[in-house]
Amino acid sequence: MRKNYKSISCLLTAALVLTAAPFHADALTKPKLNKKKLTMRVGQKKKLAIKNKKASQIKKIKFTVKKKNIARVNKKGVVTALNEGNTKLVCKVTLKNKKTYKLNCKITVKEAESTVSTATPGASAAAGVAGTPAASTAASVKPGSPSMKPNASGTPVHTDAPDVTQKPSAGPDGSITPDNTDAPADTAKPDNTPDTSKAPADTAKPDNTPDTSKAPADTAKPDNTPDTSKAPADTAKPDNTPAASKTPADTAKPDNTPEASKTPASTDTPDTPGTPSPSSQGPHLSANGILTSDNGVMRTGIDAYDIVKEMGVGTNLGNTLESCGTWIDTSNTSNYETAWGQPVTTQEMIDGMKAAGFDSIRIPVAWSNMMADDGTYTINEKYFNRVETVLNYALNADMYVIINIHFDSGWWARFGSKTEQERKDAMTKYKTMWTQIANRFQEYSDRLIFESANEELGTRLNSTDDYKGSGYYAKDDLDSLYKLTNEINQTFVDIVRSTGGNNARRFLLIAGYDTDISKTCDLRYKMPTDTIDSHLMVSIHYYSPATYCIVDNPKNSWGYDASWGTDEDIKALQSELSQMRISFVNKGYPVIIGEYGVADTKISENNFVRKEGRDLFFRSVCEFALENNMCPILWDCSRVFDRRNLTMTNEAEKALYIEMNEKAHHSELVKPSVSDDGYHWTGTVANSNWSASSASASDSNSTFIITKNGGCFTISGIDWSVFKNPVLKLTCKESSGSALFRLANQVDTSNQSWHHLYDNGTGVISEKNISSGSTISINIPLDDMTATQNLYFALANSSDFNGTISVEVVEN
């Protein structure tokens, strides 16, 4: 059919005249940035703004930069220059009429004007130190395969998780606790075995156990022979450094005792809370002759919450500088660095981790390696140089860095030695080592964080498996082990602060009890006192459930899970991590999840496959952490990020960590209001088949903890010493069904894995029915109760109950 186009044209013209909206001149103009190019010096800040559009027309503006190690931009368009280089900024503008525009700005960052004159001519921070072996020189290992640990013969063998045959025992609180949690003192665990404080007693111990009766100093061979190899640590101090810029020889090795005359003034720079600090000031030599780009700035006006927010998501340099064992050749540091199957660390490797989305890195260290057997506990200078070189790789990449004293051949168990002098010597060693470490790294900026310990503070201090001469404390004397743990952590803080300079303001990470959530939330665990407010964080590790995260053998006698990700799995994770939010985040201490991970399934020797749901587990940990003032740090030994090929091993996880990085940088920091507003908890509890099914807090301001514990529920985190006549008030807001609420101050632990209230009524305080809308009150007798005692309750006379309850404990 022929169309009358002339008639249609007339009609359209008329329609436009009748229906067109009022014309605005600026409706046809596109938004623009006030700058298309920015040239900046390292450390400078400049603001970008939108032109040609009124604020009333704009719905949303989002700024991003392509290379976050060159520059950063906040949501207000303030650009901070971090390191020399070029990058592109993209500003996405969404108008209220739903049109979107992408505006670009080229950013060029030049060297800061105040570059230190001692920089090596032509040196590049990214290039590292001359003589550093390339990653390709290490033995080839299949990408993504498990790491390696030594057997008795000294030959590394593949391992991803320990061979487990027995179900772990449970502590008094019902949590899984091993009787023997690590390898013998002189072989140590290659720490790609996730959190062995939750692994079975005999899982990490090699079949051929070497003699562990020797002290750590006895197991290290004195380093009397000059190292002629080209190991990174030995070449860390460039030979072509101008003589005038070299550090005098007598200052390279700090004294064990800090002196006021050696303490430089703290380098403080006021800053806006939450604003990242450029860590780079251009390549120069540290006080110890190590190439660095760190600016040494300690910002004021920020606290631990700001630091944890900026740390984003992190990773561990696992099985590397913490590798230890008497079978390792002591002639150079690279023998230790590669002993447990990882390649020599390079700048390119750390840059790859940064590009993969990791903004922080934890570097575990065994400082006893290469230590002379002279009783002075002096850290080997070559090992110091290598650690400093590697941590500078991370600082050069604009990452936060955590260093600690790790397992370190198990000398920690000497704190529980049956010989009094050995117990004293253990504390002397701890003090001497941290005095040296703090003095050595005193000059570095607030991007360097010290961690008091690894997993050894707690039951491991008394471990006869780590040291045969240990066992001074009775197995049930947890009060003494908590007291000792608190003393060690307080000693750590006191030593670091006493060294002065930047260390007077350094952010410190305090190791939890066994780094276990429930044990760290026990009221017997105390955070240290400090000389500066809000500069402490607390560390725990998360490998739950153990049958998924730790067990690699499908035939394991006490359980094995090949997959994770049900609604119940996710609720359990959130409930467990919520305990840290209630006990620490809400009380002034942000949390660092220093390790989390998932063991691969072992099909046969040297043949492992990735478990189903690993990316969802990683996502669930990261999302909860980032939303609750926590920093998640992945335990990895090339299984997630392949250090040889410098790539992520899984596409889903590659996208995940980029997404989590974006989430960390673009989410708003919400600091909890730190106050003591009494004891209250709101959430859901469920009972199924006559046993506790789940407990999950729904109120982020809850101030104590309710958890599922075998056949019943545990109420923990209440200090009964503040009460004279306490009353527990429970309101059942809504529920499916009714139940008999039975409250007790004792629980039957005859079955260590399945706690329940005594059938004969022992310890029962009260029994009352609850259902939707009901409220009950129960007087709590303080006779025979300790200040930190838990309460327990069961939901009896009901096979299925699911309810939202509110519980508070008040003075009558």
Side-chain angles (χ1 to χ4, degrees):
M1 182 180 71
R2 182 180 179 184
K3 294 181 174 61
N4 188 335
Y5 292 102
K6 184 175 181 179
S7 299
I8 293 175
S9 176
C10 292
L11 289 171
L12 287 173
T13 302
L16 286 170
V17 171
L18 292 173
T19 63
F23 176 77
H24 294 286
D26 61 357
L28 299 178
T29 59
K30 296 180 180 180
K32 295 182 179 180
L33 285 173
N34 61 334
K35 298 280 186 181
K36 290 186 177 180
K37 295 182 179 180
L38 277 183
T39 300
M40 307 170 69
R41 295 278 185 184
V42 170
Q44 281 189 328
K45 295 182 180 181
K46 292 186 179 181
K47 185 173 182 178
L48 294 174
I50 305 298
K51 299 193 305 181
N52 298 345
K53 284 296 174 185
K54 299 177 181 178
S56 59
Q57 296 175 291
I58 298 174
K59 180 179 180 181
K60 185 178 180 181
I61 299 175
K62 182 178 180 181
F63 291 96
T64 56
V65 290
K66 295 295 185 182
K67 298 180 181 178
K68 295 183 176 61
N69 64 319
I70 303 297
R72 282 184 176 170
V73 61
N74 66 16
K75 62 182 180 181
K76 294 183 179 180
V78 177
V79 180
T80 302
L82 302 179
N83 291 293
E84 292 180 70
N86 299 308
T87 185
K88 183 173 75 172
L89 177 146
V90 179
C91 176
K92 184 178 179 181
V93 181
T94 303
L95 304 181
K96 291 183 178 178
N97 63 9
K98 298 184 179 181
K99 289 186 177 180
T100 60
Y101 299 89
K102 285 189 176 181
L103 315 178
N104 298 323
C105 177
K106 182 179 178 181
I107 298 175
T108 300
V109 179
K110 296 184 178 181
E111 183 182 36
E113 294 179 359
S114 57
T115 303
V116 175
S117 60
T118 57
T120 303
S124 168
V129 179
T132 301
S136 60
T137 63
S140 176
V141 174
K142 182 180 178 181
S145 65
S147 297
M148 306 170 83
K149 73 175 178 181
N151 58 19
S153 65
T155 304
V157 293
H158 282 284
T159 179
D160 189 61
D163 294 328
V164 286
T165 57
Q166 297 181 2
K167 188 169 186 177
S169 59
D173 58 359
S175 60
I176 293 177
T177 307
D179 298 317
N180 169 6
T181 56
D182 217 334
D186 61 353
T187 59
K189 70 169 182 179
D191 257 359
N192 86 322
T193 301
D195 192 4
T196 54
S197 67
K198 299 172 187 66
D202 56 357
T203 57
K205 190 173 184 179
D207 294 335
N208 298 320
T209 306
D211 183 7
T212 62
S213 61
K214 292 184 180 180
D218 298 331
T219 60
K221 187 180 297 181
D223 185 31
N224 298 324
T225 304
D227 188 353
T228 57
S229 71
K230 294 183 179 181
D234 306 331
T235 58
K237 187 179 292 185
D239 294 332
N240 62 345
T241 303
S245 67
K246 287 188 178 181
T247 304
D250 60 352
T251 63
K253 185 181 294 184
D255 293 338
N256 292 343
T257 304
E259 297 179 14
S261 62
K262 293 187 178 181
T263 303
S266 176
T267 309
D268 290 343
T269 299
D271 212 328
T272 304
T275 302
S277 168
S279 61
S280 173
Q281 72 169 45
H284 61 282
L285 295 182
S286 73
N288 305 292
I290 304 300
L291 193 65
T292 181
S293 295
D294 185 71
N295 62 12
V297 170
M298 303 298 288
R299 290 166 289 172
T300 60
I302 64 172
D303 61 21
Y305 292 100
D306 297 307
I307 292 293
V308 168
K309 171 69 165 58
E310 291 177 13
M311 290 177 72
V313 294
T315 187
N316 275 268
L317 192 70
N319 280 16
T320 307
L321 291 171
E322 86 279 21
S323 302
C324 51
T326 55
W327 53 274
I328 301 174
D329 179 359
T330 65
S331 62
N332 63 65
T333 59
S334 62
N335 292 339
Y336 288 92
E337 191 170 352
T338 60
W340 286 356
Q342 297 304 301
V344 170
T345 311
T346 64
Q347 181 69 63
E348 291 74 19
M349 185 187 297
I350 303 300
D351 289 343
M353 294 176 182
K354 172 71 175 181
F358 300 108
D359 279 336
S360 52
I361 187 168
R362 180 172 177 258
I363 304 177
V365 183
W367 296 102
S368 296
N369 288 345
M370 301 173 66
M371 183 180 284
D373 183 15
D374 59 5
T376 65
Y377 308 118
T378 302
I379 296 172
N380 182 277
E381 185 67 12
K382 293 177 183 178
Y383 217 81
F384 248 146
N385 287 342
R386 184 54 184 161
V387 173
E388 187 171 356
T389 298
V390 172
L391 72 85
N392 270 295
Y393 291 160
L395 292 174
N396 294 341
D398 197 33
M399 299 173 80
Y400 278 89
V401 182
I402 299 170
I403 58 173
N404 69 358
I405 304 176
H406 213 68
F407 171 73
D408 204 11
S409 295
W411 67 267
W412 296 91
R414 293 173 184 269
F415 277 102
S417 171
K418 294 176 182 177
T419 303
E420 181 180 5
Q421 187 58 49
E422 283 191 329
R423 296 197 298 274
K424 291 180 179 179
D425 289 345
M427 182 61 81
T428 298
K429 180 172 184 175
Y430 185 77
K431 290 179 178 179
T432 303
M433 290 172 77
W434 268 118
T435 299
Q436 293 174 80
I437 297 165
N439 275 321
R440 172 83 181 209
F441 301 119
Q442 186 186 83
E443 67 185 283
Y444 285 95
S445 72
D446 54 23
R447 287 185 175 271
L448 177 62
I449 296 166
F450 297 157
E451 181 184 24
S452 63
N454 178 43
E455 300 166 354
E456 285 69 37
L457 297 192
T459 55
R460 298 282 291 279
L461 297 172
N462 198 44
S463 170
T464 55
D465 297 299
D466 289 347
Y467 174 53
K468 292 180 181 179
S470 191
Y472 170 74
Y473 300 98
K475 286 189 176 181
D476 59 352
D477 187 9
L478 296 182
D479 289 347
S480 293
L481 289 175
Y482 270 102
K483 183 178 179 180
L484 180 57
T485 295
N486 297 335
E487 179 187 355
I488 293 171
N489 276 331
Q490 185 64 62
T491 298
F492 163 71
V493 173
D494 293 344
I495 286 173
V496 174
R497 296 294 182 233
S498 72
T499 58
N502 282 357
N503 289 336
R505 302 183 58 85
R506 190 165 306 285
F507 290 91
L508 303 178
L509 181 56
I510 309 303
Y513 190 97
D514 288 348
T515 59
D516 175 88
I517 290 178
S518 63
K519 294 176 184 177
T520 303
C521 291
D522 190 295
L523 289 177
R524 290 171 290 185
Y525 176 84
K526 306 292 184 184
M527 288 293 283
T529 58
D530 198 5
T531 56
I532 183 172
D533 290 337
S534 194
H535 275 58
L536 301 182
M537 303 160 283
V538 62
S539 171
I540 52 92
H541 297 171
Y542 190 71
Y543 296 103
S544 180
T547 48
Y548 178 71
C549 295
I550 294 177
V551 178
D552 67 348
N553 181 6
K555 298 179 180 179
N556 177 49
S557 62
W558 55 268
Y560 162 84
D561 287 316
S563 63
W564 186 93
T566 66
D567 289 345
E568 284 300 312
D569 289 338
I570 296 172
K571 286 180 181 178
L573 178 147
Q574 294 172 344
S575 177
E576 289 166 349
L577 292 177
S578 287
Q579 297 178 47
M580 294 302 295
R581 180 189 63 199
I582 293 169
S583 294
F584 292 96
V585 173
N586 290 354
K587 296 180 180 179
Y589 302 105
V591 172
I592 291 182
I593 304 172
E595 296 179 18
Y596 68 95
V598 177
D600 292 334
T601 296
K602 184 176 182 180
I603 304 301
S604 61
E605 193 67 26
N606 299 332
N607 184 12
F608 295 79
V609 296
R610 182 174 171 273
K611 286 186 178 180
E612 182 181 347
R614 190 174 82 172
D615 55 328
L616 179 58
F617 180 85
F618 290 171
R619 173 182 292 277
S620 299
V621 171
C622 290
E623 287 184 338
F624 187 93
L626 295 176
E627 291 168 3
N628 290 278
N629 298 108
M630 303 180 189
C631 169
I633 302 182
L634 175 72
W635 181 260
D636 187 32
C637 306
S638 296
R639 290 184 301 128
V640 178
F641 179 85
D642 183 350
R643 297 188 211 167
R644 291 176 174 82
N645 293 320
L646 309 183
T647 58
M648 296 288 282
T649 61
N650 179 270
E651 287 299 318
E653 289 164 3
K654 178 180 179 180
L656 166 65
Y657 281 104
I658 293 297
E659 178 189 345
M660 292 299 102
N661 179 277
E662 291 290 323
K663 181 181 179 70
H665 287 296
H666 293 98
S667 60
E668 183 179 357
L669 171 61
V670 179
K671 300 179 184 180
S673 56
V674 181
S675 63
D676 184 9
D677 55 353
Y679 290 108
H680 55 85
W681 186 92
T682 299
T684 60
V685 293
N687 206 62
S688 181
N689 295 323
W690 303 93
S691 297
S693 177
S694 65
S696 179
S698 58
D699 180 3
S700 61
N701 294 316
S702 294
T703 56
F704 64 91
I705 302 164
I706 296 180
T707 54
K708 180 179 79 71
N709 184 3
C712 63
F713 300 88
T714 299
I715 297 174
S716 58
I718 297 177
D719 182 1
W720 299 105
S721 67
V722 302
F723 293 100
K724 292 183 178 179
N725 298 294
V727 175
L728 182 146
K729 294 183 177 180
L730 182 150
T731 299
C732 185
K733 297 184 176 181
E734 59 179 350
S735 68
S736 59
S738 61
L740 179 66
F741 181 85
R742 180 180 293 163
L743 183 69
N745 58 19
Q746 293 184 47
V747 65
D748 187 351
T749 59
S750 57
N751 182 331
Q752 292 186 343
S753 300
W754 194 255
H755 296 180
H756 58 86
L757 300 192
Y758 284 97
D759 294 333
N760 60 8
T762 301
V764 172
I765 297 172
S766 180
E767 296 181 347
K768 295 190 178 185
N769 288 306
I770 60 170
S771 59
S772 289
S774 63
T775 298
I776 61 174
S777 295
I778 299 174
N779 293 316
I780 308 298
L782 294 182
D783 297 340
D784 301 325
M785 281 183 61
T786 65
T788 60
Q789 186 159 337
N790 294 338
L791 292 181
Y792 308 90
F793 69 88
L795 299 173
N797 295 345
S798 171
S799 57
D800 290 289
F801 176 89
N802 192 313
T804 299
I805 63 172
S806 177
V807 182
E808 61 177 337
V809 178
V810 299
E811 188 68 48
N812 190 355

